[in-house]
């Protein structure tokens, strides 16, 4: 009698385990579909940049890493913009692709803006990497003028601009149109 009860419990355990595995497979499939079919904000994650395509970025006036000043009025033509932070694993992973794309940008360094967020001491190395291919701006706070002007919702964040108007944005550089 005890042996049949243990056997029945074992079979019930196996059946429940198989149902859980099946359900996890369905969830994984749905998550993969949502991640590729909808923008991050629609999938429940914060948008990389809250300024929607077709809208202008907000006003800002800052001093670049090389000491020059920059404002929204300096955004001319087609511009690639990237927000990264030192020590951010996703930012570190996307940095080589951003540098490669920035190096190939039509118009060169003048048409690429890199914003390095966080502590200025830690940002120095990242700024040095980006300086040959981008106008580098630094911001030591998440609610600074650049993050506010672009509506940065998470890092990394990348955008393509036409003048001061957002054309496209995403947290993955490879998801921006060429």
């Amino acid at each position: 009698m005890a042996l049949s009860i243990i056997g029945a419990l074992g079979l019930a355990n196996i059946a429940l385990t198989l149902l859980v595995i099946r359900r996890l497979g369905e969830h994984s499939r749905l998550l993969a579909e949502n991640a590729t079919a909808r923008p991050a904000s629609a999938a429940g994650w914060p948008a990389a940049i809250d300024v929607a395509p077709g809208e202008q970025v907000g006003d800002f006036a800052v001093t670049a890493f090389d000491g020059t000043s920059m404002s929204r009025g300096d955004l001319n033509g087609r511009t690639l913009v990237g927000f990264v932070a030192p020590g951010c694993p996703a930012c570190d992973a996307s940095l080589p692709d951003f540098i490669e794309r920035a190096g190939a940008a039509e118009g060169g360094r003048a048409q690429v803006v890199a914003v390095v967020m966080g502590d200025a001491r830690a940002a120095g190395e990242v700024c040095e990497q980006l300086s040959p291919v981008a106008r580098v701006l630094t911001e030591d706070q998440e609610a600074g003028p650049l993050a506010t002007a672009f509506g940065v919702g998470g890092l990394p964040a990348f955008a393509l601009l036409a003048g001061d108007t957002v054309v496209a944005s995403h947290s993955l550089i490879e998801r921006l149109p060429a």
Side-chain angles (χ1 to χ4, degrees):
M1 177 76 164
L3 193 55
S4 54
I5 291 174
I6 292 174
L9 287 175
L11 287 174
N13 188 24
I14 290 171
L16 288 173
T17 301
L18 291 173
L19 287 172
V20 168
I21 290 171
R22 180 177 173 197
R23 186 74 171 154
L24 285 173
E26 290 174 13
H27 278 270
S28 295
R29 182 185 54 78
L30 289 171
L31 285 172
E33 287 175 6
N34 284 340
T36 58
R38 299 187 304 179
S41 60
W45 296 296
I49 293 181
D50 286 338
V51 178
E55 294 181 2
Q56 289 181 324
V57 298
D59 286 327
F60 66 89
V62 295
T63 302
F65 182 66
D66 63 4
T68 61
S69 62
M70 184 174 180
S71 68
R72 182 175 83 175
D74 295 320
L75 297 171
N76 298 309
R78 189 174 174 96
T79 305
L80 174 64
V81 179
F83 286 82
V84 295
C88 160
C91 299
D92 293 343
S94 64
L95 200 56
D97 290 337
F98 179 70
I99 291 171
E100 181 181 333
R101 185 143 177 201
E106 189 175 312
R109 182 178 183 276
Q111 295 310 121
V112 181
V113 175
V115 181
V116 181
M117 310 284 289
D119 179 51
R121 286 177 288 148
E125 184 179 324
V126 176
C127 292
E128 292 295 333
Q129 287 179 298
L130 291 165
S131 289
V133 296
R135 293 178 287 171
V136 180
L137 310 173
T138 58
E139 191 156 86
D140 61 356
Q141 54 185 329
E142 290 181 22
L146 292 164
T148 302
F150 282 82
V152 175
L155 295 175
F158 304 99
L160 280 177
L161 305 178
D164 62 359
T165 303
V166 173
V167 174
S169 66
H170 206 283
S171 59
L172 300 173
I173 186 72
E174 62 268 15
R175 294 266 176 105
L176 287 182

